[in-house]
Amino acid sequence: MARKRIDVLSDTHGRLSREVLDAIDGCDLIVHAGDITSEDDFITLGAIAPLRLCLGNNDWAGEYGADVTRKVRFEYEGLQFCVTHYQQNLTGERFDVGVFGHTHVPETRTLNSGALMINPGSPTFPRSQAGPTMGRLVVEGGRVVSSEIIRLAPDEDRGWGRSFFAGW
């Protein structure tokens, strides 16, 4: 089995930077944990790689097709994924990889069950000292080989970056 790279996004809020687009180039799958808020970005991401997306609190049902709901479950490379905008919606679910967003704060952790939980933060409106971020998973043979949070450069041209949500 070949290794596959999954790039994980959340809370892009209709603003995909050139750095994000460059960073996800070449991935095998994009998982987005909601608040994409842009049909154009939905199309752009789907043209780069297969896209699995859930709805966030700023997205509307039906905007991105019937398969995009508040909670999205799927199997990829032998792993069960559950993707939802709110972490609490993963409670009680069975999965190998749980993806969530909403807080704009990146984190990864492994549960007692061995399942991986990842919040990629936000590349657009970060709310942590990490600044703009996204996630990356490498999977092979039904297991997660590596998981990381990737720090992106602040988008100084738009005035968003490390300090945009300072104090949140």
Side-chain angles (χ1 to χ4, degrees), residues 10-11 32-37 53-61 64 68-70 84-86 102:
S10 187
D11 300 285
H32 195 296
D35 279 359
I36 191 171
T37 71
L53 167 73
C54 75
L55 296 174
N57 58 301
N58 292 296
D59 298 313
W60 303 102
Y64 313 108
V68 180
T69 58
R70 298 276 170 209
T84 184
H85 196 58
Y86 297 107
H102 186 62

Side-chain angles (χ1 to χ4, degrees), residues 4-10 19-33 45 48-53 74 76 81 83 99 118 120 133-139 146-150 152:
K4 302 287 184 173
R5 189 180 100 205
I6 303 167
D7 284 344
V8 185
L9 298 170
S10 187
E19 185 173 6
V20 169
L21 294 173
D22 289 345
I24 64 175
D25 187 43
C27 70
D28 297 294
L29 176 70
I30 299 168
V31 176
H32 195 296
L45 292 176
I48 293 169
L51 172 64
R52 299 307 306 245
L53 167 73
F74 64 95
Y76 184 75
F81 283 74
V83 184
V99 180
I118 183 168
T133 56
M134 60 175 274
R136 178 164 291 156
L137 307 175
V138 176
V139 301
S146 68
S147 64
E148 67 179 313
I149 298 296
I150 297 173
L152 303 164

Side-chain angles (χ1 to χ4, degrees), residues 101-164:
H102 186 62
T103 64
H104 299 219
V105 177
E107 69 172 284
T108 61
R109 69 180 187 281
T110 303
L111 303 178
N112 289 339
S113 66
L116 174 70
M117 297 270 287
I118 183 168
N119 179 335
S122 172
T124 308
F125 298 119
R127 294 181 184 158
S128 78
Q129 293 301 315
T133 56
M134 60 175 274
R136 178 164 291 156
L137 307 175
V138 176
V139 301
E140 180 178 31
R143 65 185 186 92
V144 178
V145 175
S146 68
S147 64
E148 67 179 313
I149 298 296
I150 297 173
R151 296 174 91 167
L152 303 164
D155 191 344
E156 303 297 342
D157 292 342
R158 295 187 205 162
W160 307 324
R162 256 177 241 292
S163 63
F164 186 80

